[in-house]
Amino acid sequence: MAPQTRRPARNTTPLATRVAKAIATTPVQDIHTHLYDPAFGELLLSGIDDLLVYHYLVAEAFRYLTVPFEAFWRLSKREQAEWIWQELFLERSPVSEACRGVLTTLEALGIDVRRRDLRQIRGWFSAQDPRRHVDRVLDLAGVSTVCMTNSPFDDLERPVWERGFRRHDRFKSALRIDPLLLDWKKSCKTLQAWGYKVSPALTPRTLGEVRRFLGDWSRRLESGFLMVSLPPEFTFPDQTEAARLIEGAVVPHCTETGQPFALMPGVRRGVNPRLRMAGDGVGLSRLEGLRNLCDAFPETRFAVTALARENQHELCVLARKFRNLHLFGCWWFLNTPSLIGEMTQMRTELLGLSYTPQHSDARVLEQLIYKWRHSREVIGRVLVQTYDALESTGWRVSEGELRRDVGALFGGEFARFSTPAPAPAAMRHR
Ligand code: HDL
Ligand code: ZN
Protein backbone atom coordinates (compact mmCIF):
# COMPACT_ATOMS: atom_id res chain seq x y z
CA MET A 1 0.00 0.00 0.00
CA ALA A 2 1.41 3.46 -0.88
CA PRO A 3 2.87 5.10 2.24
CA GLN A 4 0.63 7.69 3.72
CA THR A 5 1.84 11.03 2.31
CA ARG A 6 1.20 13.34 5.20
CA ARG A 7 1.62 16.97 4.21
CA PRO A 8 3.97 18.63 6.75
CA ALA A 9 2.34 20.82 9.32
CA ARG A 10 2.21 24.17 7.64
CA ASN A 11 2.88 27.54 9.17
CA THR A 12 -0.44 28.86 10.48
CA THR A 13 0.01 32.04 8.45
CA PRO A 14 -0.86 31.39 4.80
CA LEU A 15 2.25 31.26 2.63
CA ALA A 16 0.99 33.99 0.31
CA THR A 17 0.66 36.31 3.30
CA ARG A 18 4.16 35.50 4.50
CA VAL A 19 5.68 36.06 1.06
CA ALA A 20 3.71 39.27 0.53
CA LYS A 21 4.93 40.54 3.90
CA ALA A 22 8.57 39.75 3.10
CA ILE A 23 8.25 41.45 -0.33
CA ALA A 24 6.51 44.50 1.09
CA THR A 25 8.84 45.01 4.06
CA THR A 26 12.23 44.17 2.53
CA PRO A 27 13.87 47.36 1.21
CA VAL A 28 15.37 47.31 -2.27
CA GLN A 29 18.85 48.37 -3.33
CA ASP A 30 18.01 49.69 -6.81
CA ILE A 31 21.15 48.95 -8.82
CA HIS A 32 20.38 50.95 -11.97
CA THR A 33 18.61 54.28 -12.29
CA HIS A 34 19.10 57.58 -14.11
CA LEU A 35 18.36 59.57 -10.98
CA TYR A 36 20.81 62.02 -9.48
CA ASP A 37 21.88 62.90 -5.96
CA PRO A 38 19.88 66.02 -4.96
CA ALA A 39 23.21 67.90 -5.08
CA PHE A 40 22.86 67.80 -8.89
CA GLY A 41 19.86 70.14 -8.65
CA GLU A 42 17.76 70.23 -11.84
CA LEU A 43 19.39 67.01 -13.11
CA LEU A 44 17.27 65.14 -10.56
CA LEU A 45 13.96 65.12 -12.44
CA SER A 46 10.81 65.25 -10.34
CA GLY A 47 7.12 66.23 -10.60
CA ILE A 48 4.14 65.57 -12.84
CA ASP A 49 5.48 67.29 -15.97
CA ASP A 50 8.66 65.23 -15.93
CA LEU A 51 6.59 62.12 -15.24
CA LEU A 52 4.40 62.88 -18.29
CA VAL A 53 7.20 63.73 -20.73
CA TYR A 54 9.06 60.47 -19.87
CA HIS A 55 10.37 59.16 -23.16
CA TYR A 56 8.31 55.98 -22.84
CA LEU A 57 5.15 58.14 -22.89
CA VAL A 58 6.47 60.37 -25.68
CA ALA A 59 6.82 57.30 -27.91
CA GLU A 60 3.31 56.16 -27.01
CA ALA A 61 1.78 59.62 -27.55
CA PHE A 62 3.38 60.01 -30.96
CA ARG A 63 1.38 56.99 -32.10
CA TYR A 64 -1.69 59.22 -31.95
CA LEU A 65 -0.11 62.59 -32.72
CA THR A 66 -0.37 63.61 -36.37
CA VAL A 67 1.61 66.83 -35.98
CA PRO A 68 5.19 66.99 -37.32
CA PHE A 69 7.69 65.67 -34.76
CA GLU A 70 9.46 69.04 -34.63
CA ALA A 71 6.19 70.80 -33.72
CA PHE A 72 6.12 68.71 -30.55
CA TRP A 73 9.78 69.29 -29.74
CA ARG A 74 9.32 73.06 -30.07
CA LEU A 75 6.77 73.00 -27.24
CA SER A 76 7.73 73.74 -23.63
CA LYS A 77 7.88 70.82 -21.19
CA ARG A 78 4.53 71.94 -19.72
CA GLU A 79 2.91 72.06 -23.16
CA GLN A 80 4.35 68.64 -24.05
CA ALA A 81 3.03 67.25 -20.75
CA GLU A 82 -0.44 68.70 -21.42
CA TRP A 83 -0.50 67.14 -24.87
CA ILE A 84 0.52 63.74 -23.51
CA TRP A 85 -2.02 64.00 -20.68
CA GLN A 86 -4.73 64.79 -23.24
CA GLU A 87 -3.77 62.05 -25.74
CA LEU A 88 -2.90 59.18 -23.42
CA PHE A 89 -5.02 59.83 -20.33
CA LEU A 90 -8.13 61.82 -21.38
CA GLU A 91 -8.80 60.89 -25.03
CA ARG A 92 -8.34 57.18 -24.22
CA SER A 93 -7.83 55.02 -21.11
CA PRO A 94 -4.26 55.02 -19.78
CA VAL A 95 -3.82 51.26 -19.93
CA SER A 96 -0.14 50.97 -20.93
CA GLU A 97 2.45 50.10 -18.24
CA ALA A 98 4.02 53.56 -18.41
CA CYS A 99 0.61 55.30 -18.24
CA ARG A 100 -0.63 53.14 -15.38
CA GLY A 101 2.65 53.85 -13.64
CA VAL A 102 1.98 57.57 -13.49
CA LEU A 103 -1.38 56.89 -11.84
CA THR A 104 0.06 54.32 -9.40
CA THR A 105 2.58 56.94 -8.33
CA LEU A 106 -0.01 59.72 -7.94
CA GLU A 107 -2.34 57.48 -5.96
CA ALA A 108 0.51 56.37 -3.66
CA LEU A 109 1.35 60.03 -3.04
CA GLY A 110 -2.26 60.59 -1.94
CA ILE A 111 -3.36 62.50 -5.03
CA ASP A 112 -6.96 61.85 -6.15
CA VAL A 113 -6.57 60.80 -9.80
CA ARG A 114 -10.35 60.52 -10.24
CA ARG A 115 -10.45 64.31 -10.65
CA ARG A 116 -8.11 64.02 -13.67
CA ASP A 117 -7.13 67.59 -12.89
CA LEU A 118 -3.58 68.29 -14.11
CA ARG A 119 -3.64 71.79 -12.58
CA GLN A 120 -4.46 70.35 -9.16
CA ILE A 121 -1.75 67.69 -9.53
CA ARG A 122 0.81 70.35 -10.44
CA GLY A 123 -0.25 72.31 -7.38
CA TRP A 124 0.38 69.31 -5.14
CA PHE A 125 3.95 68.84 -6.40
CA SER A 126 4.82 72.52 -6.16
CA ALA A 127 3.66 72.49 -2.53
CA GLN A 128 6.20 69.78 -1.55
CA ASP A 129 9.30 70.57 0.49
CA PRO A 130 12.15 69.45 -1.85
CA ARG A 131 14.43 68.57 1.09
CA ARG A 132 11.94 66.08 2.54
CA HIS A 133 10.43 64.92 -0.72
CA VAL A 134 13.41 62.83 -1.89
CA ASP A 135 13.62 60.64 1.21
CA ARG A 136 9.84 60.44 1.39
CA VAL A 137 9.66 59.07 -2.16
CA LEU A 138 12.44 56.52 -1.55
CA ASP A 139 10.70 55.39 1.65
CA LEU A 140 7.31 55.18 -0.12
CA ALA A 141 8.94 53.13 -2.88
CA GLY A 142 10.54 50.78 -0.35
CA VAL A 143 13.98 51.63 -1.72
CA SER A 144 16.94 51.88 0.63
CA THR A 145 19.48 53.08 -1.95
CA VAL A 146 19.51 53.92 -5.65
CA CYS A 147 22.48 53.63 -7.97
CA MET A 148 22.97 56.53 -10.37
CA THR A 149 24.31 56.29 -13.93
CA ASN A 150 27.27 58.65 -13.90
CA SER A 151 29.14 59.71 -17.01
CA PRO A 152 32.27 61.90 -17.07
CA PHE A 153 31.27 62.63 -20.66
CA ASP A 154 28.06 64.37 -19.57
CA ASP A 155 28.82 68.10 -19.73
CA LEU A 156 26.13 68.97 -17.18
CA GLU A 157 27.09 66.29 -14.69
CA ARG A 158 30.90 66.45 -14.87
CA PRO A 159 31.36 69.94 -13.33
CA VAL A 160 29.37 68.92 -10.24
CA TRP A 161 31.74 66.00 -9.64
CA GLU A 162 34.79 68.19 -10.33
CA ARG A 163 33.56 70.82 -7.82
CA GLY A 164 32.80 68.11 -5.30
CA PHE A 165 29.72 67.95 -3.09
CA ARG A 166 28.42 66.32 0.07
CA ARG A 167 26.94 62.98 -1.01
CA HIS A 168 23.41 61.89 -0.09
CA ASP A 169 24.09 58.50 1.49
CA ARG A 170 21.22 56.79 -0.36
CA PHE A 171 22.58 57.66 -3.84
CA LYS A 172 25.32 55.30 -5.00
CA SER A 173 27.34 55.62 -8.18
CA ALA A 174 28.16 53.57 -11.27
CA LEU A 175 30.69 54.74 -13.85
CA ARG A 176 29.04 54.71 -17.29
CA ILE A 177 31.49 54.54 -20.20
CA ASP A 178 29.46 54.23 -23.42
CA PRO A 179 31.19 57.17 -25.21
CA LEU A 180 34.63 55.78 -24.33
CA LEU A 181 33.92 52.36 -25.83
CA LEU A 182 31.46 53.18 -28.60
CA ASP A 183 32.91 56.44 -29.91
CA TRP A 184 36.63 56.16 -29.26
CA LYS A 185 37.49 58.53 -32.12
CA LYS A 186 35.71 61.39 -30.33
CA SER A 187 36.49 60.28 -26.77
CA CYS A 188 40.18 60.03 -27.55
CA LYS A 189 40.18 63.77 -28.29
CA THR A 190 38.16 64.44 -25.13
CA LEU A 191 40.61 62.51 -22.97
CA GLN A 192 43.51 64.36 -24.59
CA ALA A 193 41.82 67.65 -23.69
CA TRP A 194 41.51 66.38 -20.11
CA GLY A 195 45.25 65.72 -20.00
CA TYR A 196 45.42 61.99 -20.65
CA LYS A 197 48.27 61.03 -23.00
CA VAL A 198 46.13 58.93 -25.33
CA SER A 199 46.42 58.48 -29.08
CA PRO A 200 43.84 57.11 -31.53
CA ALA A 201 45.92 53.94 -31.86
CA LEU A 202 45.25 51.69 -28.88
CA THR A 203 48.90 51.32 -27.94
CA PRO A 204 49.95 49.97 -24.52
CA ARG A 205 50.64 53.57 -23.46
CA THR A 206 47.16 54.69 -24.57
CA LEU A 207 45.52 51.74 -22.81
CA GLY A 208 47.50 52.64 -19.70
CA GLU A 209 46.21 56.19 -19.85
CA VAL A 210 42.64 54.96 -20.34
CA ARG A 211 43.11 52.90 -17.17
CA ARG A 212 44.33 56.05 -15.41
CA PHE A 213 41.17 57.84 -16.57
CA LEU A 214 39.00 54.98 -15.28
CA GLY A 215 40.90 55.01 -11.99
CA ASP A 216 40.53 58.78 -11.56
CA TRP A 217 36.77 58.66 -12.12
CA SER A 218 36.18 55.48 -10.15
CA ARG A 219 37.75 57.22 -7.18
CA ARG A 220 35.94 60.52 -7.77
CA LEU A 221 32.55 58.79 -8.03
CA GLU A 222 33.33 56.06 -5.50
CA SER A 223 31.67 53.91 -8.16
CA GLY A 224 30.45 50.46 -7.20
CA PHE A 225 30.81 49.16 -10.77
CA LEU A 226 31.35 50.17 -14.39
CA MET A 227 28.61 49.97 -17.04
CA VAL A 228 28.15 50.12 -20.76
CA SER A 229 25.22 49.51 -23.09
CA LEU A 230 26.14 47.65 -26.27
CA PRO A 231 24.65 47.15 -29.75
CA PRO A 232 23.31 43.66 -30.55
CA GLU A 233 26.30 42.99 -32.82
CA PHE A 234 28.90 43.41 -30.06
CA THR A 235 31.16 40.41 -29.75
CA PHE A 236 34.47 39.47 -28.18
CA PRO A 237 37.22 38.98 -29.01
CA ASP A 238 36.98 41.36 -31.91
CA GLN A 239 38.95 44.09 -33.67
CA THR A 240 36.45 46.76 -32.67
CA GLU A 241 37.76 49.53 -30.43
CA ALA A 242 35.14 48.54 -27.86
CA ALA A 243 36.43 44.97 -27.66
CA ARG A 244 40.07 46.10 -27.54
CA LEU A 245 39.41 48.77 -24.89
CA ILE A 246 37.48 46.24 -22.80
CA GLU A 247 40.35 43.75 -22.96
CA GLY A 248 43.19 46.25 -22.59
CA ALA A 249 41.78 48.71 -20.10
CA VAL A 250 38.34 48.06 -18.65
CA VAL A 251 38.83 44.43 -17.55
CA PRO A 252 42.27 45.07 -16.01
CA HIS A 253 40.82 48.12 -14.22
CA CYS A 254 37.83 46.18 -12.90
CA THR A 255 39.96 43.25 -11.84
CA GLU A 256 42.44 45.55 -10.08
CA THR A 257 39.76 47.61 -8.31
CA GLY A 258 37.37 44.72 -7.65
CA GLN A 259 34.48 46.46 -9.45
CA PRO A 260 32.06 44.39 -11.53
CA PHE A 261 31.66 45.34 -15.18
CA ALA A 262 27.98 45.63 -16.16
CA LEU A 263 27.26 44.99 -19.83
CA MET A 264 23.85 45.82 -21.28
CA PRO A 265 23.69 44.33 -24.80
CA GLY A 266 20.88 44.64 -27.32
CA VAL A 267 20.15 48.34 -27.66
CA ARG A 268 19.90 49.74 -31.17
CA ARG A 269 20.29 53.51 -30.73
CA GLY A 270 18.33 55.93 -32.90
CA VAL A 271 15.99 53.51 -34.68
CA ASN A 272 13.79 56.55 -35.20
CA PRO A 273 15.88 59.69 -34.51
CA ARG A 274 12.79 61.91 -34.84
CA LEU A 275 11.74 60.58 -31.44
CA ARG A 276 15.06 61.69 -29.90
CA MET A 277 15.60 59.83 -26.57
CA ALA A 278 12.43 57.85 -27.26
CA GLY A 279 13.83 56.64 -30.59
CA ASP A 280 16.00 53.72 -29.42
CA GLY A 281 15.06 50.14 -30.22
CA VAL A 282 16.09 46.56 -29.53
CA GLY A 283 17.94 43.81 -31.38
CA LEU A 284 18.81 40.18 -30.69
CA SER A 285 22.29 40.06 -29.17
CA ARG A 286 25.05 37.61 -29.99
CA LEU A 287 25.93 36.17 -26.56
CA GLU A 288 29.05 34.25 -27.49
CA GLY A 289 31.09 37.42 -26.89
CA LEU A 290 29.80 37.47 -23.33
CA ARG A 291 30.66 33.81 -22.94
CA ASN A 292 34.19 34.49 -24.19
CA LEU A 293 34.62 37.38 -21.73
CA CYS A 294 33.46 35.27 -18.76
CA ASP A 295 35.72 32.43 -19.86
CA ALA A 296 38.79 34.56 -20.63
CA PHE A 297 38.58 36.58 -17.40
CA PRO A 298 37.38 34.24 -14.62
CA GLU A 299 38.55 36.69 -11.92
CA THR A 300 36.49 39.54 -13.34
CA ARG A 301 32.84 39.78 -12.40
CA PHE A 302 30.34 40.59 -15.17
CA ALA A 303 26.81 41.78 -14.46
CA VAL A 304 24.48 41.59 -17.45
CA THR A 305 21.02 42.60 -18.49
CA ALA A 306 20.07 41.99 -22.11
CA LEU A 307 17.37 43.96 -23.87
CA ALA A 308 15.84 41.29 -26.14
CA ARG A 309 13.27 38.93 -24.65
CA GLU A 310 14.59 36.24 -26.97
CA ASN A 311 18.05 36.38 -25.34
CA GLN A 312 16.83 35.63 -21.83
CA HIS A 313 16.88 31.84 -21.77
CA GLU A 314 20.33 31.53 -23.35
CA LEU A 315 21.54 34.15 -20.86
CA CYS A 316 20.22 32.10 -17.94
CA VAL A 317 22.01 29.01 -19.18
CA LEU A 318 25.21 31.04 -19.61
CA ALA A 319 24.90 32.24 -15.99
CA ARG A 320 24.68 28.60 -14.91
CA LYS A 321 28.02 28.00 -16.62
CA PHE A 322 29.91 31.03 -15.29
CA ARG A 323 29.85 32.01 -11.63
CA ASN A 324 31.43 35.35 -12.59
CA LEU A 325 28.24 36.25 -14.49
CA HIS A 326 25.36 37.86 -12.56
CA LEU A 327 22.05 38.61 -14.29
CA PHE A 328 20.01 41.61 -13.31
CA GLY A 329 16.78 43.39 -14.14
CA CYS A 330 14.02 43.32 -16.71
CA TRP A 331 15.43 46.15 -18.74
CA TRP A 332 13.42 48.88 -20.54
CA PHE A 333 11.06 47.15 -23.00
CA LEU A 334 11.12 44.09 -20.71
CA ASN A 335 9.91 46.09 -17.73
CA THR A 336 6.27 45.06 -18.08
CA PRO A 337 4.30 42.78 -15.74
CA SER A 338 3.97 39.93 -18.25
CA LEU A 339 7.70 39.85 -19.07
CA ILE A 340 8.87 40.45 -15.49
CA GLY A 341 6.79 37.42 -14.51
CA GLU A 342 8.14 35.27 -17.33
CA MET A 343 11.77 36.22 -16.68
CA THR A 344 11.58 35.99 -12.87
CA GLN A 345 10.04 32.53 -13.00
CA MET A 346 12.61 31.28 -15.55
CA ARG A 347 15.55 32.77 -13.63
CA THR A 348 14.38 31.35 -10.28
CA GLU A 349 13.88 27.91 -11.82
CA LEU A 350 17.35 27.96 -13.40
CA LEU A 351 19.42 30.14 -11.06
CA GLY A 352 17.71 29.84 -7.68
CA LEU A 353 18.41 33.07 -5.80
CA SER A 354 21.72 33.92 -7.52
CA TYR A 355 20.45 36.82 -9.61
CA THR A 356 18.82 40.25 -9.23
CA PRO A 357 15.26 40.22 -10.62
CA GLN A 358 14.82 43.94 -11.12
CA HIS A 359 16.19 47.44 -11.32
CA SER A 360 13.93 50.43 -11.90
CA ASP A 361 15.82 52.41 -14.55
CA ALA A 362 13.90 55.35 -13.10
CA ARG A 363 14.60 58.71 -14.75
CA VAL A 364 12.16 60.74 -12.66
CA LEU A 365 12.29 60.52 -8.86
CA GLU A 366 8.66 59.52 -8.30
CA GLN A 367 8.87 56.71 -10.89
CA LEU A 368 10.59 54.69 -8.15
CA ILE A 369 7.16 54.34 -6.51
CA TYR A 370 5.38 52.74 -9.45
CA LYS A 371 8.30 50.81 -10.86
CA TRP A 372 8.85 49.07 -7.56
CA ARG A 373 5.17 48.70 -6.67
CA HIS A 374 4.44 47.05 -10.01
CA SER A 375 7.58 44.86 -9.83
CA ARG A 376 6.94 43.79 -6.24
CA GLU A 377 3.44 42.67 -7.25
CA VAL A 378 4.76 40.44 -10.02
CA ILE A 379 7.87 39.15 -8.22
CA GLY A 380 5.64 38.40 -5.23
CA ARG A 381 3.25 36.32 -7.33
CA VAL A 382 6.15 34.31 -8.75
CA LEU A 383 7.66 33.74 -5.30
CA VAL A 384 4.34 32.57 -3.83
CA GLN A 385 4.20 29.95 -6.59
CA THR A 386 7.88 29.11 -6.04
CA TYR A 387 7.68 28.63 -2.27
CA ASP A 388 4.34 26.86 -2.51
CA ALA A 389 5.94 24.30 -4.81
CA LEU A 390 8.89 24.07 -2.41
CA GLU A 391 6.72 23.57 0.68
CA SER A 392 4.67 20.90 -1.07
CA THR A 393 7.82 18.71 -0.84
CA GLY A 394 7.55 18.91 2.93
CA TRP A 395 10.37 21.52 3.18
CA ARG A 396 9.23 24.48 5.28
CA VAL A 397 10.45 28.05 4.96
CA SER A 398 10.41 30.31 8.01
CA GLU A 399 9.56 34.01 7.86
CA GLY A 400 13.21 34.80 8.60
CA GLU A 401 14.32 32.64 5.69
CA LEU A 402 11.79 34.33 3.41
CA ARG A 403 13.15 37.74 4.45
CA ARG A 404 16.70 36.46 3.91
CA ASP A 405 15.86 35.20 0.40
CA VAL A 406 13.98 38.33 -0.63
CA GLY A 407 16.81 40.47 0.72
CA ALA A 408 19.17 38.54 -1.53
CA LEU A 409 16.98 39.16 -4.57
CA PHE A 410 16.51 42.84 -3.67
CA GLY A 411 20.20 43.71 -3.78
CA GLY A 412 21.89 41.45 -1.24
CA GLU A 413 23.07 38.91 -3.80
CA PHE A 414 24.40 41.67 -6.09
CA ALA A 415 26.28 43.13 -3.11
CA ARG A 416 27.76 39.71 -2.31
CA PHE A 417 28.65 39.21 -5.97
CA SER A 418 30.27 42.66 -6.07
CA THR A 419 32.53 42.18 -3.07
CA PRO A 420 34.79 39.13 -3.41
CA ALA A 421 34.89 37.25 -0.09
CA PRO A 422 38.15 35.54 0.89
CA ALA A 423 38.17 31.80 0.22
CA PRO A 424 36.76 29.80 3.20
CA ALA A 425 39.53 28.90 5.63
CA ALA A 426 39.29 25.22 4.75
CA MET A 427 39.91 26.04 1.08
CA ARG A 428 42.73 28.52 1.60
CA HIS A 429 45.76 26.31 1.86
CA ARG A 430 44.88 23.56 -0.61
O1 HDL B 1 21.06 52.81 -21.65
C1 HDL B 1 20.35 52.74 -20.64
O2 HDL B 1 20.77 52.77 -19.45
C2 HDL B 1 18.85 52.69 -20.88
O3 HDL B 1 18.19 52.40 -19.66
C3 HDL B 1 18.39 54.01 -21.45
O4 HDL B 1 18.76 55.03 -20.55
C4 HDL B 1 16.91 54.10 -21.77
O5 HDL B 1 16.64 55.36 -22.35
C5 HDL B 1 16.02 53.94 -20.56
O6 HDL B 1 15.81 54.86 -19.81
N1 HDL B 1 15.46 52.75 -20.42
O7 HDL B 1 14.62 52.50 -19.37
ZN1 ZN C 1 19.23 52.74 -17.97
Side-chain angles (χ1 to χ4, degrees):
M1 186 168 86
Q4 286 300 315
T5 50
R6 186 176 53 79
R7 287 176 73 87
R10 281 182 178 270
N11 185 311
T12 49
T13 313
L15 177 69
T17 308
R18 286 187 283 140
V19 172
K21 185 179 170 199
I23 291 277
T25 58
T26 303
V28 160
Q29 298 165 57
D30 193 344
I31 65 171
H32 175 54
T33 77
H34 297 274
L35 300 177
Y36 286 92
D37 185 306
F40 284 88
E42 299 287 301
L43 286 182
L44 173 58
L45 302 180
S46 170
I48 185 62
D49 289 303
D50 279 309
L51 287 169
L52 288 172
V53 300
Y54 183 38
H55 69 76
Y56 289 29
L57 293 174
V58 170
E60 292 173 31
F62 264 119
R63 296 189 53 68
Y64 304 110
L65 293 176
T66 52
V67 297
F69 292 96
E70 284 317 311
F72 177 82
W73 296 120
R74 278 196 294 273
L75 297 176
S76 67
K77 185 194 304 187
R78 281 175 71 92
E79 290 166 329
Q80 289 175 4
E82 284 154 12
W83 214 333
I84 289 170
W85 180 251
Q86 182 66 28
E87 291 295 337
L88 296 183
F89 290 78
L90 302 185
E91 298 277 337
R92 38 193 73 84
S93 299
V95 294
S96 76
E97 175 60 8
C99 281
R100 179 171 73 100
V102 173
L103 301 178
T104 299
T105 287
L106 297 181
E107 188 271 337
L109 288 168
I111 297 168
D112 182 359
V113 295
R114 282 166 302 176
R115 293 178 56 182
R116 304 188 182 186
D117 181 347
L118 188 50
R119 199 172 28 80
Q120 174 250 345
I121 297 168
R122 280 175 170 153
W124 185 92
F125 278 98
S126 56
Q128 300 314 304
D129 171 358
R131 288 160 309 183
R132 290 184 51 249
H133 188 57
V134 170
D135 283 303
R136 177 184 181 216
V137 169
L138 267 70
D139 294 342
L140 205 51
V143 170
S144 54
T145 61
V146 299
C147 189
M148 302 181 277
T149 300
N150 300 117
S151 171
F153 300 94
D154 182 311
D155 293 335
L156 295 176
E157 176 182 358
R158 184 178 58 257
V160 182
W161 287 110
E162 288 171 338
R163 269 199 307 273
F165 58 94
R166 189 163 167 275
R167 299 281 295 262
H168 187 303
D169 60 1
R170 296 174 79 173
F171 286 74
K172 308 299 179 192
S173 169
L175 174 54
R176 185 67 178 259
I177 55 172
D178 292 37
L180 179 76
L181 300 188
L182 304 177
D183 189 357
W184 170 246
K185 189 161 176 287
K186 183 178 173 200
S187 299
C188 175
K189 295 191 178 83
T190 305
L191 261 61
Q192 285 169 346
W194 291 343
Y196 296 96
K197 303 271 179 292
V198 293
S199 62
L202 296 179
T203 61
R205 173 189 159 117
T206 289
L207 292 171
E209 282 292 274
V210 170
R211 284 182 65 177
R212 185 165 71 86
F213 162 76
L214 296 174
D216 291 346
W217 278 93
S218 291
R219 279 187 297 278
R220 182 170 286 138
L221 303 181
E222 296 170 36
S223 55
F225 55 99
L226 273 65
M227 332 176 64
V228 66
S229 68
L230 294 165
E233 299 75 24
F234 170 80
T235 192
F236 181 90
D238 200 356
Q239 282 314 304
T240 61
E241 282 147 349
R244 293 168 60 205
L245 283 161
I246 286 172
E247 180 167 18
V250 179
V251 165
H253 169 74
C254 288
T255 310
E256 178 193 346
T257 60
Q259 295 180 85
F261 183 28
L263 298 111
M264 305 161 76
V267 58
R268 205 174 286 297
R269 297 291 178 187
V271 165
N272 182 354
R274 300 172 198 81
L275 290 175
R276 298 188 182 179
M277 188 187 286
D280 297 331
V282 58
L284 185 65
S285 294
R286 303 169 50 182
L287 298 183
E288 72 272 10
L290 178 61
R291 180 250 162 235
N292 295 338
L293 280 167
C294 293
D295 187 50
F297 306 108
E299 297 315 308
T300 305
R301 290 184 301 288
F302 297 95
V304 172
T305 193
L307 192 50
R309 177 193 189 189
E310 298 77 8
N311 277 132
Q312 301 308 323
H313 184 258
E314 182 185 350
L315 200 50
C316 277
V317 174
L318 210 48
R320 288 171 61 88
K321 306 304 144 195
F322 291 98
R323 65 182 179 185
N324 59 329
L325 173 57
H326 181 94
L327 304 191
F328 71 95
C330 300
W331 184 26
W332 204 339
F333 308 111
L334 298 170
N335 195 353
T336 61
S338 61
L339 295 177
I340 297 168
E342 175 183 286
M343 288 171 66
T344 302
Q345 182 160 1
M346 174 170 60
R347 287 164 163 177
T348 308
E349 290 164 350
L350 285 170
L351 303 174
L353 298 166
S354 65
Y355 73 100
T356 299
Q358 190 57 299
H359 65 272
S360 71
D361 232 323
R363 282 184 171 276
V364 184
L365 176 67
E366 296 85 6
Q367 288 177 337
L368 288 172
I369 297 170
Y370 90 80
K371 286 177 182 272
W372 282 108
R373 190 159 292 195
H374 292 185
S375 291
R376 276 188 162 98
E377 277 167 14
V378 179
I379 294 166
R381 281 202 298 271
V382 172
L383 291 185
V384 166
Q385 195 181 332
T386 300
Y387 285 98
D388 191 48
L390 176 58
E391 289 206 334
S392 63
T393 68
W395 188 272
R396 293 184 57 259
V397 184
S398 70
E399 286 213 22
E401 288 169 333
L402 274 177
R403 277 198 303 278
R404 172 202 64 191
D405 295 350
V406 172
L409 291 172
F410 280 9
E413 178 56 20
F414 183 72
R416 186 200 65 79
F417 175 78
S418 300
T419 43
M427 306 288 281
R428 266 186 221 132
H429 307 300
R430 288 209 175 147

